[in-house]
């Protein structure tokens, strides 16, 4: 019995080593047959000194793409907003970002996905005591028919004291639901606590870049 | 003796020059690609395999970094360059919740944040793949901290050990490219964060080891 077990274990180890060696041999074979990588012919012909000059120029171009002065970084996964200057963090705040939920219009064709948009944006508007003009989804979500009367869409309470617009109806604004800061609960906008919102509003100007990921 | 030493020194110097040139060419290729990407409003991932680091960047600004604890590769070596992330795949992909009008009315805001049915970081998988063009796959997992994770990783490694040689043979026979890279991140939250940050169609820059 012991001998059989020993033989089985030895066979398993032997198989394992064989597979490993076979795999290694295959990798070497495939690598030798790969014929190397393809490079842009323009790059291949350049001398090392030319390459160094080209790389230096490209690094400068890359630096020029970066924002000067303050910029805003929004981490939608951690629900954190950072106001930064270069590498330094000037202020950090707990926020609420999009819930990722989906709303289908009953009997209709429209669909809304409540994600906070990602990418590079800029502050396009700065509003004091902002008014929210409730879009159709705000009514549909509550089981109501969107009103045709404009005045019925006006909401003066939900957005807090300030709002920073960054395009397509998305804002960084205040909230009545401060206990939900740190959670993904919004319809796509970025909600901020009162003190942080005031600081951000006073610090950034129109055109300040906002990076959301 | 002296001639031998001189020859060895010359060979060493030549090898260093080749390595330097390879590094310069890699940098040139990546900088060309990054300058083009940095002009857009889209973020991109930068896999710096020489420093065991993954970075999320936009317009040349580094937004987030993940450390790579371990790295292994099968098949044809991955060259430095720019790739398109075709698809991110996971065994358990997070599902979006469909809102039922009225039934969910302000539920999230009234219940004090308990049992919110929303999509958050904790819902993301910690074990997933990135599929690229040209038969390139990157697999991600986290350093196991729990017994269940250790067991999962063991069976995963066993599966890879058995299937990867077959895949290499098949790819050789079909004369198609096959590259399988495994990256182990420091913890599950890092892995979930990377899954969250990555989007289908995203550009990815790779600096090889």
């Amino acid at each position: 019995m012991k001998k059989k077990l020993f033989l089985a274990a030895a066979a398993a180890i032997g198989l394992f080593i064989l597979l490993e060696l076979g795999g290694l041999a295959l990798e070497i074979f495939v690598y030798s047959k790969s014929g190397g990588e393809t490079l842009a012919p323009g790059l291949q012909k350049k001398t090392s000194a030319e390459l160094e000059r080209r790389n230096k120029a490209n690094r400068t171009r890359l630096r020029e793409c970066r924002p000067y002065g303050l910029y805003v970084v929004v981490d939608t996964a951690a629900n954190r907003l950072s106001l930064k200057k270069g590498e330094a963090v000037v202020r950090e705040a707990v926020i609420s970002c999009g819930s990722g939920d989906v709303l289908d219009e009953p009997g209709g064709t429209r669909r809304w996905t409540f994600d906070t948009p990602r990418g590079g944006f800029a502050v396009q508007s700065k509003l004091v005591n902002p008014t929210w003009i409730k879009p159709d989804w705000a009514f549909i979500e509550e089981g109501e028919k969107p009103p045709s009367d404009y005045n019925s869409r006006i909401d003066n309470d939900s957005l807090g004291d300030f709002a920073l617009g960054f395009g397509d109806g998305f804002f960084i604004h205040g909230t009545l639901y401060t206990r939900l800061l740190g959670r993904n609960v919004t319809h796509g906008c970025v909600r901020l606590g009162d003190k942080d919102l005031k600081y951000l509003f006073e610090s950034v100007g129109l055109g300040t870049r906002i990076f959301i990921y | 003796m002296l001639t031998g030493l001189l020859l060895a020194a010359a060979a060493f110097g030549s090898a260093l020059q080749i390595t330097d040139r390879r590094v310069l060419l890699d940098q040139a290729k990546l900088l060309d690609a990054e300058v083009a990407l940095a002009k857009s409003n889209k973020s991109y991932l930068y896999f710096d395999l020489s420093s065991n680091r993954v970075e999320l960047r936009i317009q040349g600004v580094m937004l987030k970094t993940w450390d790579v604890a371990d790295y292994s590769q099968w098949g044809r070596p991955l060259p430095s360059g720019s790739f398109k992330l075709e698809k991110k795949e996971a065994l358990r992909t997070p599902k979006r919740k469909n809102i039922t009008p009225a039934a969910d009315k302000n539920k999230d805001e009234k219940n004090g944040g308990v049992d919110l049915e929303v999509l958050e970081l904790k819902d993301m998988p910690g074990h997933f793949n990135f599929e690229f063009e040209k038969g390139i796959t990157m697999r991600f997992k986290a350093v196991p901290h729990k017994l269940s994770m250790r067991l999962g990783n063991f069976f995963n490694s066993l599966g890879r050990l058995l299937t990867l040689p077959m895949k290499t043979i098949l790819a050789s026979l079909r004369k198609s490219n096959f590259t399988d890279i495994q990256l182990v991140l420091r913890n599950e939250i890092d892995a979930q964060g990377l899954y969250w940050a990555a989007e289908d169609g995203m550009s990815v820059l790779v600096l090889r080891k």
Side-chain angles (χ1 to χ4, degrees):
Chain A
M1 184 66 184
K2 272 185 184 172
K3 196 178 171 186
K4 275 185 186 170
L5 269 175
F6 176 76
L7 280 173
I13 292 167
L15 185 69
F16 176 82
I17 293 169
L18 204 68
L19 272 171
E20 282 287 283
L21 287 174
L24 188 68
L26 262 171
E27 277 204 83
I28 293 166
F29 174 74
V30 170
Y31 183 59
S32 66
K33 293 281 174 191
S34 67
E37 63 189 90
T38 50
L39 263 176
L43 282 181
Q44 196 75 279
K45 284 177 188 166
K46 291 200 181 300
T47 64
S48 294
E50 283 172 331
L51 282 172
E52 269 171 20
R53 273 199 299 278
R54 186 193 174 99
N55 289 351
K56 196 178 167 191
N58 269 340
R59 281 197 190 94
T60 308
R61 280 193 202 109
L62 207 53
R63 262 198 304 276
E64 284 165 359
C65 292
R66 290 175 193 144
Y68 296 105
L70 290 168
Y71 62 97
V72 178
V73 176
V74 174
D75 178 349
T76 60
N79 286 301
R80 293 287 185 281
L81 179 145
S82 309
L83 182 64
K84 296 182 83 173
K85 188 172 186 178
E87 294 294 305
V89 178
V90 178
R91 185 155 178 135
E92 251 189 329
V94 181
I95 56 171
S96 287
C97 292
S99 66
D101 289 346
V102 175
L103 174 67
D104 287 307
E105 183 181 23
T109 54
R110 290 184 292 176
R111 163 176 270 219
W112 294 272
T113 304
F114 299 127
D115 279 332
T116 299
R118 297 178 187 194
F121 304 89
V123 176
Q124 293 182 6
S125 58
K126 288 181 74 175
L127 308 170
V128 180
N129 295 322
T131 297
W132 184 34
I133 310 300
K134 289 169 81 174
D136 287 356
W137 57 254
F139 295 95
I140 291 168
E141 186 183 23
E142 295 184 12
E144 294 169 13
K145 201 178 162 203
S148 51
D149 170 27
Y150 179 81
N151 288 333
S152 307
R153 292 177 180 261
I154 293 173
D155 177 341
N156 288 316
D157 305 321
S158 297
L159 302 187
D161 297 334
F162 308 99
L164 299 161
F166 57 92
D168 284 338
F170 291 102
F171 288 88
I172 298 174
H173 60 72
T175 180
L176 300 168
Y177 307 103
T178 49
R179 67 183 181 280
L180 293 178
L181 289 172
R183 305 292 308 269
N184 291 82
V185 292
T186 79
H187 296 91
C189 284
V190 176
R191 293 180 192 167
L192 207 54
D194 289 345
K195 282 182 187 168
D196 291 321
L197 181 64
K198 188 169 188 287
Y199 185 89
L200 186 71
F201 187 84
E202 287 170 353
S203 304
V204 304
L206 292 177
T208 300
R209 284 202 251 176
I210 302 171
F211 299 129
I212 305 177
Y213 69 97
Chain B
M1 176 73 179
L2 188 64
T3 319
L5 275 174
L6 282 172
L7 278 172
F12 182 67
S14 161
L16 275 182
Q17 271 185 345
I18 290 167
T19 311
D20 284 351
R21 184 162 169 80
R22 198 204 83 173
V23 171
L24 276 174
L25 278 167
D26 280 356
Q27 285 174 348
K29 205 155 67 157
L30 286 178
L31 280 164
D32 276 357
E34 189 166 10
V35 166
L37 285 173
K39 285 175 185 161
S40 84
N41 285 327
K42 290 183 176 167
S43 51
Y44 50 93
L45 285 167
Y46 192 101
F47 283 81
D48 185 350
L49 299 178
S50 64
S51 309
N52 287 330
R53 219 168 45 201
V54 182
E55 292 178 359
L56 179 72
R57 296 184 183 180
I58 187 167
Q59 294 173 10
V61 176
M62 198 255 290
L63 297 175
K64 176 100 181 162
T65 312
W66 296 273
D67 289 328
V68 176
D70 197 15
Y71 164 91
S72 61
Q73 181 174 303
W74 268 83
R76 195 170 170 174
L78 184 66
S80 292
S82 175
F83 301 89
K84 192 146 291 277
L85 170 56
E86 287 190 338
K87 204 163 52 169
K88 53 178 187 179
E89 288 181 335
L91 205 61
R92 181 182 56 86
T93 48
K95 295 271 182 290
R96 290 181 186 274
K97 183 211 158 199
N98 266 73
I99 298 171
T100 312
D104 293 325
K105 187 180 173 183
N106 284 340
K107 182 185 166 193
D108 56 353
E109 293 171 349
K110 284 178 179 165
N111 66 6
V114 183
D115 295 331
L116 289 172
E117 288 184 66
V118 291
L119 212 51
E120 295 191 300
L121 184 64
K122 62 178 167 48
D123 306 312
M124 299 298 120
H127 202 136
F128 55 90
N129 301 345
F130 285 175
E131 299 292 339
F132 296 90
E133 58 212 324
K134 298 173 196 162
I136 299 166
T137 302
M138 276 191 189
R139 298 174 195 280
F140 297 88
K141 60 181 185 179
V143 172
H145 293 293
K146 295 180 209 156
L147 183 67
S148 58
M149 276 177 79
R150 282 203 183 104
L151 276 173
N153 279 1
F154 171 74
F155 285 113
N156 174 260
S157 300
L158 200 66
R160 273 170 61 79
L161 202 71
L162 294 171
T163 56
L164 287 179
M166 305 297 171
K167 285 184 180 174
T168 312
I169 294 167
L170 280 175
S172 291
L173 291 174
R174 287 181 190 154
K175 291 185 177 161
S176 59
N177 186 42
F178 172 70
T179 304
D180 190 292
I181 293 167
Q182 181 164 270
L183 295 157
V184 183
L185 300 172
R186 268 188 324 182
N187 56 52
E188 200 171 12
I189 293 171
D190 275 7
Q192 289 170 316
L194 180 56
Y195 185 88
W196 179 286
E199 292 177 291
D200 291 352
M202 194 177 211
S203 293
V204 175
L205 300 176
V206 177
L207 178 64
R208 64 178 157 183
K209 258 193 195 292

